[in-house]
Amino acid sequence: MGDRPEDLGALLDSVAAQEGEPVEVVVVGNGAELGGLPKGVRSLELPENLGVPGGRNVGIEAFGPGGRDVDVLLFLDDDGLLPDKGTAELIRSAFDADPRLGIVSFRIADPDSGVTQRRHVPRLRASDPMRSSPVTTFLGGASAVRTRVFQEVGGLPDDFFYAHEETDLAWRALDAGWNIHYRADLLLLHPATSPSRHAVYYRMIARNRVWLARRNLPLPLVPAYLSVWLLLTLLRRPPLPALKAWFKGFAEGWRTACGPRRPMRWRTVWRLTRLGRPPVI
């Protein structure tokens, strides 16, 4: 967004310090001007903010259609930092070792406390962030994706703008037979924040949750999935203004077009269940 130049500079320095082959870098200015970037770093300035998935999709295409000019794309939020110089080599080794590995999600920790927020561990059993495991979704701002995934199942859903775009891509990737891993040994330092700091948070998570279900789930699971999330939202007792925004987004998700519908196969539903996250939770 162009409002954290010092953080971005530190991140780019940490990428340049990675061991092994140099990492080619593109910085996307999502509705923001960019300046003062290190030599060799490409930049793309978008005239308007396309949202998280829209901005990342532009970055993907910077490496050819579907990113085909490279094997793996690494996505890093501009206020993150790679503290370990061997991270890029670990990523290369992970994808070389498993030809069906499609997506890797990093561990995210606060740089001051070292704490990993529960929401940053992409599984239901999130009490131990130091345990690596197969998962059913990932953290978009600290991840690596094999570009063949984009070429097979498409990019992130532009219209989501913010929230659940990673799960949409993850479900399509799993349905195509790809694996997704959470790797505790791949660390991104990132300040601990609350997602509700964004004014659109409650509306977007509700609207996009409906879109996610309508786009990807077999019809019998759509009401089950959304009913569970409706109940969970009520049990969490958000403030009244937040709850109103949530219901506004929930209704918007039903009223508006969700994009192409490609329901996952029932064997993918079973695969998600075996991985510990049946698509009703």
Side-chain angles (χ1 to χ4, degrees), residues 1-2 8 12 24-38 40-51 53-64 67 73 75 78:
M1 297 298 296
L8 175 60
L12 294 176
E24 185 178 352
V25 179
V26 170
V27 176
V28 178
N30 210 353
E33 294 183 0
L34 297 170
L37 297 177
V41 173
R42 287 192 287 157
S43 63
L44 296 170
E45 293 184 0
L46 308 182
E48 61 178 309
N49 180 3
L50 300 182
R56 288 182 183 149
N57 282 336
V58 169
I60 294 166
E61 296 301 306
F63 295 91
L73 283 174
F75 296 91
D78 62 356

Side-chain angles (χ1 to χ4, degrees), residues 77-255:
D77 279 352
D78 62 356
D79 53 348
L81 183 75
L82 295 175
D84 302 322
K85 295 182 179 181
T87 299
E89 286 292 88
L90 286 174
I91 294 169
R92 294 183 181 107
S93 296
F95 283 99
D96 286 343
D98 181 0
R100 295 309 299 170
L101 179 61
I103 303 172
V104 170
S105 190
F106 295 13
R107 178 168 61 93
I108 299 174
D110 181 79
D112 296 322
S113 67
V115 171
T116 296
Q117 293 179 282
R118 193 184 192 286
R119 68 187 183 91
H120 285 155
V121 183
R123 58 177 179 244
L124 289 179
R125 297 178 179 177
S127 59
D128 182 8
M130 299 305 295
R131 178 173 66 88
S132 300
S133 70
V135 289
T136 61
T137 188
F138 67 103
L139 282 304
S143 62
V145 183
R146 194 186 298 270
T147 55
R148 279 182 55 202
V149 172
F150 298 124
Q151 294 151 32
E152 285 188 19
V153 307
L156 295 154
D158 285 331
D159 291 342
F160 278 41
F161 195 84
Y162 165 76
H164 305 318
E165 67 274 358
E166 297 98 341
T167 300
D168 186 271
L169 175 62
W171 282 1
R172 285 181 280 130
L174 289 165
D175 196 49
W178 293 101
N179 301 321
I180 305 174
H181 284 181
Y182 167 73
R183 289 280 298 261
D185 58 337
L186 299 175
L187 176 62
L188 181 80
L189 296 180
H190 185 283
T193 57
S194 170
S196 59
R197 71 191 186 278
H198 299 294
V200 297
Y201 171 74
Y202 287 102
R203 171 177 157 253
M204 290 295 192
I205 62 168
R207 183 198 69 179
N208 292 358
R209 184 80 70 183
V210 177
W211 282 357
L212 178 69
R214 290 175 57 198
R215 285 163 58 93
N216 295 288
L217 291 181
L219 281 176
L221 294 185
V222 173
Y225 177 79
L226 295 175
S227 295
V228 168
W229 280 102
L230 173 60
L231 178 61
L232 284 174
T233 300
L234 294 174
L235 289 174
R236 289 170 177 169
R237 301 176 65 182
L240 184 59
L243 191 60
K244 288 181 177 178
W246 192 94
F247 274 106
K248 180 179 179 181
F250 192 79
E252 182 183 349
W254 288 106
R255 290 196 316 267

